[in-house]
Amino acid sequence: MATLAHADPASAVDVLAASARPWLFGVRHHSPACSAALPALLDALAPTAVAVELPADLAAWLPWLAHAATIAPVAIAAVSRSGDELGFYPFADFSPELVAIRWAAARGVPVHAIDLPSGRRGGIERGPRGSRERGIAARLAGDDGWERLVEAPAVLAEPERVRRAALLYGWALRLDTGGDVDAFDRARETVMRAALAPLVAAPGARVAAIVGSFHAAALVDGDDSLRGAANDPGASVDMVSSLIPYTFELLDARSGYAAGIRDPMWQQRLWQELAARDGGDVTGLVARCLVEITRAIRARGLPASVPDARAAAELAMSLATLRRLAAPGRRELIEAVQSALAQGELLGRGRVVARALGEVLVGGRRGHLAPGTPRSGLGPHVAALLVELRLPHEPMTEPEDVRLDPLRSRSERSGSAGPRGGAEGRRGASIDRRRHVAMCRLRACGVPYAQQLDSVGVGGVDALTASWRIRMTPATEAMIELAGLRGVTLHQAAAGALRAEHAHLDGDDKITPAALIALTEAAAEAGCGDLVEAWLAALAGPRLADASLGELIALVALVERIAAGHVVGLPASLDDAIPGEIDVYDAPPVERAAIVGAAVASVLGLAGSESLADARALGELARLFQRAEHAALGDGRLRWSLDELARTGTPLIAGAAAVVQVLIGSRDHDDLATQIGGWLDAAVDREGRSRLAHRLRGALGVAGPLFEAEPAFLDGLAARVESLDDDAYLARSSALREGFEVLSTASRRRLLRALGDRLGVTDARGLGLDVVTEIPPAMLALAADADAAGRAAMEELA
Amino acid sequence: MTTKSTKKDAAPGAVQAPPPEQVYADELAFLAAWDAGPRPPSWKLTPRAVVTFVVGSAGETLRTGKLAMAISEKFVGDRALVERCVVTLAGERGLLLVGEPGTAKSMVSELLAAAISGDSSLTVQGTAGTAEEHFRYGWNYSLLIAKGPQPEALVPSPVLVAMRRGSVARVEEITRCLPEVQDALVSILSDRRLSVPELGALEAAQRGFNVIATANLRDKGVSEMSAALKRRFNFETIGPIADLARETELVRRRATAITADAGAPLQVDDAVIEALVTVFRDLRTGRTVEGWAVEKPTSVMSTAEAVAVASSIGLAATYFPGDRDVARLVPEYLLGVVMKDEPRDRGKLLAYWDATVKRRAEGEARLWKQLHELRRVLE
């Protein structure tokens, strides 16, 4: 007989299915077909021991998983004491391992967790599996291989046929690696073989091994042709694990969580049908789902009626017939919904249909732990952390304010302010940094604990210190419990919460660049480096074209803060890090030139804007452009766009563009000064005056500092103002005032001083032209009128 | 514009585009014998054979009795989509193919009609001038005046002919018809009957009758569709070809066929065609194959346009041989496709040249270097 490596599919499956030491069931970790087939197969085999693919160091949770009062979905989370090496193992009713564990517990059969301990998994290289040579598996079953080969034909099939199909798929995947199994899989299989050896060697033993279908060929007895070299992984590190209740929303593969599956509620209901004694009614299940989906569409106010559901059901069933299936599956269901209900719209109706589909197929089921399950996870972790950081950890009635100095490193502190805290002298993150990050993480988790008071320093620069108002309430603990679904350390939970928020926005198609920048900023503060990296890549890549100028400028600022190590949660130096809690961060290479390029491309889009923020963004862009590193970009396009804006933009934007043209040197001062004078001349009517006000606002909004430094800019304006007669001036004065209002108090004062110099007026207080008068305006008006009358009289005499 | 590219690769003849039932007569005859399973009423082939006809047999030679034949691939795309189309046509809703211009909607509808009814000619070509009688019936007025309303005086529309025969009728560009005219189909599709009040008659559709419509939901000058009509259709969205290699292959095949009509082989390198298709894909999706962002021009950048450019270049090389290197023609023709009615699109193409083409030119590829040097053509 040919070895597994050279056999044809049928005889390969014969070899795998005939293996008795151990008996093998190669599964996918969430599989209604395997879960439904498994009990009957185990009943027939009556094994003396059951082995499941679960890390050996998590075996303590087996009794709690099997407990009658534990309601799936639940998950085991494992994390090393230093905070990394996360393992995550969700279980649902349709997880074959959980089915096997429950079956064994009910019959008193011992269960063994045989997989590589989670504590020995660090540092082993992992590659993508089976994607190198996608030949055999794809030929057998197409792109969604497992679904087509195992799940879809499982309706009304003999359990043994399901087992053979699953083994066949795993064998094909294995063959597709071309013998090049990666180090991680080889390490796991080495450990699994070692764990199985004594079990199968026991006299009279019948061992059932429920493992991933990919691994079956490495565990089969009597054929080692597909094994790959043994790989003995290193020593174990100490892990903390916890059993947590889980939800279908998180189990859904699109939630961004590892080890999920698409549409868990569909899988759950399919499992119920398949596991039913009479073989179930999958066609009926599809029809029921379609009715629920049309109802959910109707509930959102769009037409979808019984004939629509019927047309979709008819389509799903005919597709199943055409594909020679006993009943339509998830694929046919979704195709039918898209074709018959979505009406070709991706947005609008398409969105509503997608939401309805999610509601029915993903579901909102929540798991529960059996009473008495050891409590672990986030709650105790946060409590210990708060004590360690000497932060309030008891509910309190009055809030407490703290001021932190999180960016200062420990060595500086000990030099200046003296020791504070017990472990000084040791390198690592200062306690203020740790406190700050912990509070940012709690905030990211949505836990009401601390509120940041002021985040901007004097003059708009990044603040060095941070003030927080802490108030712990009973709600704090409740929310920590909830956040515990997403991880067992604060770091994981914060990353999970942020990821969930991202998935949520994504699901609603509300991932605007602004939202993503805000999320990235929150992730940076919470020290979630991998999220920052992924989202920055998205922002600097595909999202770039959607962003507005202001958003792009904000993005550049964020990238620069991160690269400079100015984000508390992402220290650039080892001195400021504490492994597992706050890791050193290597800022990813983000192509700033590409962002600036996109910013240039978006300049024209401002033409219709009336917002001062947009005008200021334009100024920021010009400033970015002056940096040496962007010199290579070439500013031809920017110049052209600015010309366009100065000619066709709204008054505010045209004013700003005119100034930016001077900033980048595409026109000179005098030209601008003359033009500003022209604006004043043109302000002859109400509309003209409003234009003047807006143009000045735009110009000054961008160039406040410039005007201060070089009042020559305002020469044109000043010269015209001086030559105006009082009536003409008064008519324009409110527009001028409105225009100059954008200046800050300090800028305004400097400007007045400069104007004073120009007129030769000096002021003892150094305030230039800032005239403060005690005389009521009405009196001044009377005096001015008298002056004017006197002048008129004089002119008549002359 | 829509593609009428049903021509088989090499079939020069008097007619520019013979219908598929004629071009593929041998395949259709073979498939009728190949799958003898149950057929929906009036269908010439089984649903499975229809799917095979449209997507081809993937190079495999099918056998039945003494006959053996490989079915050519006609539609490059998702097999599941074709399966859904076929299943829809066997059911009680019409099929509406939607998508960007140039994604082979019309071709798919012709192929389906040819395979199912053996006749793709029962077609209403929708325009803003299409009137209700194009969907229902008109009159032979001289006969009408001479004899009064008689069945002989009635001129049936293609839809009515299809109803009488139990065939598939096609409506091209349905959204270009005015909404009230489109709605003539509502009762036909739901009741499957057409009343002729002048004759006091009710024409009932034979089993097997159905309608394939194609539509562009987003182009200029298209009309809305009423919710009532939408409900009578299953929608299938035909997208651009997902895979670069397959699109390149398709463009090469079609361009070869077009230059063959001119009596010459295609003298364009595969590398040039691949570069051309790459540019089209980048500009179509707003994202390069490397993942860099690109500004999308407003013009249509479909596979059909890529075919047009490739064959134009091929014809230029045939009719004006030795004038210029064919690669030098690429930027000119690209500009012609990109800059249709929006002057800013030129800026976008330039930006693409300055960013993406430049970066590729910095790599090793000689062709991209050459293209980058041709930037001035675009200015």
Side-chain angles (χ1 to χ4, degrees):
Chain A
M1 197 176 197
T3 60
L4 278 179
H6 299 101
D8 61 278
S11 44
V13 173
D14 284 341
V15 172
L16 290 167
S19 169
R21 294 155 49 87
W23 177 88
L24 286 164
F25 194 174
V27 300
R28 183 175 71 176
H29 296 304
H30 302 297
S31 162
C34 295
S35 301
L38 191 52
L41 290 168
L42 290 177
D43 283 340
L45 181 72
T48 56
V50 169
V52 293
E53 185 188 305
L54 180 75
D57 52 355
L58 303 180
W61 294 110
L62 288 172
W64 296 107
L65 279 174
H67 199 289
T70 300
I71 295 172
V74 293
I76 301 178
V79 63
S80 76
R81 292 245 177 241
S82 60
D84 37 27
E85 314 300 344
L86 176 71
F88 204 72
Y89 307 90
F91 294 91
D93 287 329
F94 48 86
S95 307
E97 283 93 339
L98 184 58
V99 171
I101 292 166
R102 285 175 172 166
W103 181 92
R107 287 156 188 82
V109 177
V111 180
H112 302 271
I114 57 167
D115 200 357
L116 178 63
S118 58
R120 292 169 71 187
R121 294 186 170 209
I124 310 179
E125 202 187 315
R126 305 176 191 202
R129 175 193 294 169
S131 57
R132 277 156 286 202
E133 286 287 324
R134 291 199 14 203
I136 299 150
R139 198 142 18 107
L140 275 174
D143 286 336
D144 48 354
W146 176 271
E147 291 288 335
R148 282 242 218 127
L149 198 65
V150 185
E151 300 292 334
V155 180
L156 300 174
E158 291 291 308
E160 182 63 17
R161 284 196 50 159
V162 176
R163 181 168 86 106
R164 291 175 66 94
L167 287 170
L168 173 64
Y169 186 74
W171 169 80
L173 267 190
R174 189 95 190 171
L175 224 53
D176 281 352
T177 63
D180 181 20
V181 182
D182 75 6
F184 182 63
D185 280 324
R186 281 189 285 112
R188 291 177 58 191
E189 286 158 6
T190 308
V191 168
M192 285 197 253
R193 277 196 298 272
L196 282 169
L199 298 178
V200 296
R206 284 186 307 279
V207 180
I210 289 86
V211 295
S213 65
F214 179 80
H215 301 300
L219 306 179
V220 66
D221 59 347
D223 187 329
D224 57 3
S225 60
L226 280 180
R227 251 179 211 187
N231 179 18
D232 200 8
S236 183
V237 297
D238 208 5
M239 299 292 278
V240 187
S241 61
S242 48
L243 185 62
I244 54 177
Y246 212 48
T247 70
F248 271 181
E249 224 177 327
L250 295 177
L251 188 61
D252 186 62
R254 283 154 292 192
S255 69
Y257 272 79
I261 186 165
R262 288 208 152 191
D263 297 333
M265 188 48 107
W266 159 260
Q267 313 283 358
Q268 176 86 15
R269 293 168 73 172
L270 179 62
W271 166 74
Q272 279 164 354
E273 292 298 335
L274 294 177
R277 287 258 165 254
D278 57 357
D281 175 14
V282 178
T283 306
L285 171 65
V286 169
R288 283 198 298 282
C289 286
L290 283 168
V291 169
E292 286 166 31
I293 290 164
T294 45
R295 290 176 75 104
I297 296 172
R298 259 204 315 276
R300 290 186 161 80
L302 289 184
S305 50
V306 178
D308 293 306
R310 212 185 61 183
E314 190 191 322
L315 187 65
M317 283 157 206
S318 309
L319 277 174
T321 314
L322 185 64
R323 292 169 184 165
R324 301 185 165 144
L325 299 172
R330 175 177 165 273
R331 180 173 167 218
E332 285 75 29
L333 172 65
I334 288 173
E335 287 186 49
V337 168
Q338 277 170 350
S339 190
L341 301 178
Q343 301 188 340
E345 291 179 41
L346 285 179
L347 308 167
R349 188 177 174 95
R351 284 267 145 223
V352 171
V353 171
R355 292 282 285 276
L357 206 58
E359 205 169 283
V360 174
L361 300 186
V362 175
R365 191 179 155 104
R366 270 186 101 97
H368 291 284
L369 299 182
T373 308
R375 185 169 172 269
S376 55
L378 191 62
H381 165 82
V382 171
L385 186 70
L386 292 180
V387 170
E388 191 189 339
L389 298 179
R390 294 186 310 268
L391 284 169
H393 55 274
E394 300 281 342
M396 52 218 263
T397 47
E398 287 302 310
E400 185 184 323
D401 287 357
V402 291
R403 179 171 281 274
L404 304 179
D405 206 353
L407 279 168
R408 194 168 291 184
S409 66
R410 180 187 297 261
S411 45
E412 286 170 56
R413 156 92 31 89
S414 54
S416 58
R420 216 180 106 186
E424 290 300 332
R426 187 164 59 91
R427 291 166 85 86
S430 69
I431 191 161
D432 275 6
R433 187 182 286 269
R434 295 179 60 195
R435 286 169 166 170
H436 183 85
V437 171
M439 288 192 280
C440 286
R441 282 176 181 163
L442 284 168
R443 185 173 60 187
C445 292
V447 174
Y449 177 75
Q451 193 190 349
Q452 194 163 8
L453 294 178
D454 51 355
S455 58
V456 180
V458 187
V461 247
D462 295 343
L464 287 174
T465 60
S467 289
W468 290 86
R469 175 163 294 166
I470 299 173
R471 184 168 182 195
M472 186 150 180
T473 64
T476 310
E477 291 206 45
M479 288 302 290
I480 290 174
E481 281 302 311
L482 208 62
L485 281 175
R486 300 209 157 95
V488 290
T489 67
L490 205 45
H491 186 175
Q492 286 162 17
L498 290 166
R499 213 182 282 126
E501 204 177 326
H502 182 269
H504 198 72
L505 286 174
D506 206 23
D508 291 355
D509 209 27
K510 286 188 186 142
I511 287 273
T512 58
L516 194 51
I517 291 172
L519 267 180
T520 312
E521 209 157 359
E525 282 170 354
C528 303
D530 43 349
L531 293 183
V532 172
E533 196 158 328
W535 292 342
L536 277 185
L539 278 168
R543 290 267 158 197
L544 214 48
D546 321 340
S548 74
L549 184 57
E551 289 160 351
L552 290 165
I553 300 290
L555 177 60
V556 174
L558 177 63
V559 168
E560 284 177 349
R561 271 179 64 210
I562 292 173
H566 286 175
V567 178
V568 178
L570 301 174
S573 141
L574 204 57
D575 294 349
D576 294 326
I578 173 161
E581 188 178 318
I582 305 173
D583 292 310
V584 178
Y585 189 64
D586 274 334
V590 175
E591 208 172 333
R592 266 173 260 175
I595 307 177
V596 178
V600 172
S602 71
V603 162
L604 269 189
L606 297 184
S609 166
E610 300 208 315
S611 121
L612 197 58
D614 283 339
R616 291 204 164 114
L618 202 56
E620 287 298 318
L621 176 64
R623 246 156 263 160
L624 269 180
F625 238 81
Q626 285 162 340
R627 301 224 190 119
E629 72 244 40
H630 299 135
L633 274 174
D635 59 359
R637 185 153 185 214
L638 181 61
R639 283 167 190 248
W640 178 76
S641 305
L642 285 171
D643 285 351
E644 195 74 20
L645 282 188
R647 267 190 292 121
T648 61
T650 58
L652 184 115
I653 289 297
V659 172
V660 175
Q661 284 180 314
V662 175
L663 286 179
I664 64 167
S666 74
R667 68 194 289 193
D668 61 25
H669 293 177
D670 299 341
D671 197 17
L672 177 64
T674 320
Q675 191 184 9
I676 295 180
W679 295 346
L680 191 74
D681 292 346
V684 288
D685 54 2
R686 212 181 137 85
E687 204 177 312
R689 285 193 288 275
S690 141
R691 259 200 309 274
L692 169 66
H694 280 105
R695 282 175 172 155
L696 280 177
R697 277 169 68 84
L700 292 167
V702 173
L706 203 72
F707 284 112
E708 295 159 25
E710 194 146 9
F713 263 125
L714 284 182
D715 277 353
L717 185 64
R720 297 300 165 91
V721 170
E722 284 157 14
S723 68
L724 284 178
D725 63 40
D726 284 1
D727 287 339
Y729 173 72
L730 278 177
R732 290 166 172 81
S733 72
S734 74
L736 285 168
R737 184 174 305 144
E738 200 186 327
F740 276 89
E741 222 167 34
V742 297
L743 294 177
S744 70
T745 317
S747 307
R748 182 190 184 84
R749 192 162 292 163
R750 282 192 292 271
L751 177 69
L752 287 171
R753 203 180 305 145
L755 280 179
D757 291 346
R758 172 189 159 86
L759 294 177
V761 179
T762 44
D763 179 284
R765 298 161 300 165
L767 292 182
L769 275 188
D770 198 0
V771 182
V772 180
T773 168
E774 308 260 301
I775 308 166
M779 285 298 286
L780 281 175
L782 279 177
D785 282 349
D787 283 350
R791 179 171 177 162
M794 289 293 289
E795 276 169 358
E796 216 159 284
L797 284 178
Chain B
M1 68 142 274
T2 40
T3 15
K4 299 283 180 293
S5 38
T6 48
K7 196 178 332 176
K8 206 176 178 183
D9 289 358
V15 179
Q16 266 200 335
E21 59 268 26
Q22 202 173 319
V23 177
Y24 302 111
D26 46 349
E27 287 192 6
L28 289 171
F30 170 80
L31 283 170
W34 171 68
D35 191 352
R39 300 171 194 181
S42 315
W43 281 37
K44 305 268 187 233
L45 301 179
T46 62
R48 197 187 321 278
V50 176
V51 174
T52 309
F53 174 68
V54 176
V55 300
S57 58
E60 200 184 323
T61 304
L62 306 178
R63 282 168 209 290
T64 173
K66 285 182 189 155
L67 300 170
M69 186 180 251
I71 306 298
S72 62
E73 180 185 52
K74 297 164 198 76
F75 169 66
V76 179
D78 189 8
R79 181 189 176 93
L81 181 141
V82 178
E83 289 176 346
R84 291 195 297 271
C85 292
V86 171
V87 160
T88 296
L89 288 172
E92 53 186 35
R93 278 191 178 189
L95 171 66
L96 182 61
L97 299 171
V98 297
E100 302 282 316
T103 42
K105 299 182 293 292
S106 303
M107 186 191 78
V108 171
S109 96
E110 282 186 346
L111 290 171
L112 288 170
I116 292 170
S117 309
D119 184 359
S120 63
S121 68
L122 297 173
T123 305
V124 180
Q125 287 171 329
T127 65
T130 304
E132 217 177 300
E133 52 258 41
H134 295 107
F135 290 113
R136 295 167 62 85
Y137 52 87
W139 294 99
N140 177 338
Y141 286 102
S142 51
L143 217 55
L144 186 68
I145 292 166
K147 293 191 173 178
Q150 295 288 326
E152 307 91 84
L154 184 136
V155 180
S157 71
V159 177
L160 182 53
V161 174
M163 288 174 75
R164 286 174 176 172
R165 288 193 207 154
S167 301
V168 173
R170 304 193 305 122
V171 182
E172 287 287 315
E173 300 285 356
I174 190 170
T175 45
R176 303 212 180 259
C177 308
L178 299 177
E180 47 271 39
V181 177
Q182 293 174 22
D183 283 346
L185 280 174
V186 171
S187 55
I188 295 178
L189 278 173
S190 55
D191 304 345
R192 305 274 159 165
R193 279 192 295 270
L194 179 65
S195 89
V196 187
E198 295 89 337
L199 299 178
L202 201 58
E203 295 262 5
Q206 297 298 306
R207 295 181 70 197
F209 163 71
N210 214 333
V211 173
I212 310 178
T214 62
N216 189 323
L217 297 179
R218 278 185 286 275
D219 201 1
K220 283 179 194 153
V222 302
S223 309
E224 269 295 302
M225 247 179 125
S226 66
L229 186 55
K230 281 184 176 174
R231 278 201 47 226
R232 265 77 185 185
F233 282 107
N234 279 347
F235 281 58
E236 287 303 336
T237 307
I238 301 196
I241 300 171
D243 181 46
L244 172 67
R246 295 184 75 181
E247 191 174 352
T248 308
E249 164 58 22
L250 181 77
V251 169
R252 199 188 55 73
R253 211 168 63 204
R254 291 271 154 80
T256 309
I258 290 170
T259 43
D261 274 357
L266 183 68
Q267 296 170 350
V268 183
D269 276 2
D270 283 359
V272 173
I273 292 185
E274 192 185 325
L276 185 73
V277 174
T278 308
V279 172
F280 267 84
R281 292 169 69 90
D282 291 351
L283 294 175
R284 185 193 307 150
T285 55
R287 192 156 184 215
T288 69
V289 279
E290 295 91 344
W292 306 322
V294 174
E295 283 176 84
K296 285 197 268 187
T298 51
S299 40
V300 173
M301 304 294 295
S302 71
T303 311
E305 265 75 26
V307 171
V309 171
S311 50
S312 299
I313 294 176
L315 288 177
T318 306
Y319 291 136
F320 307 104
D323 271 10
R324 278 176 289 180
D325 179 5
V326 286
R328 304 185 73 83
L329 297 170
V330 170
E332 292 170 22
Y333 279 102
L334 263 178
L335 188 64
V337 169
V338 169
M339 212 175 89
K340 291 251 164 70
D341 49 11
E342 176 63 60
R344 278 182 197 167
D345 285 340
R346 183 200 291 270
K348 290 178 182 168
L349 191 59
L350 274 175
Y352 177 75
W353 233 257
D354 287 345
T356 309
V357 177
K358 188 175 168 197
R359 280 201 250 189
R360 287 185 187 144
E362 283 160 6
E364 282 308 299
R366 197 184 58 82
L367 178 61
W368 289 106
K369 280 198 178 76
Q370 198 181 353
L371 287 176
H372 186 238
E373 283 160 11
L374 292 168
R375 181 185 186 278
R376 64 190 149 68
V377 177
L378 303 173
E379 283 177 30

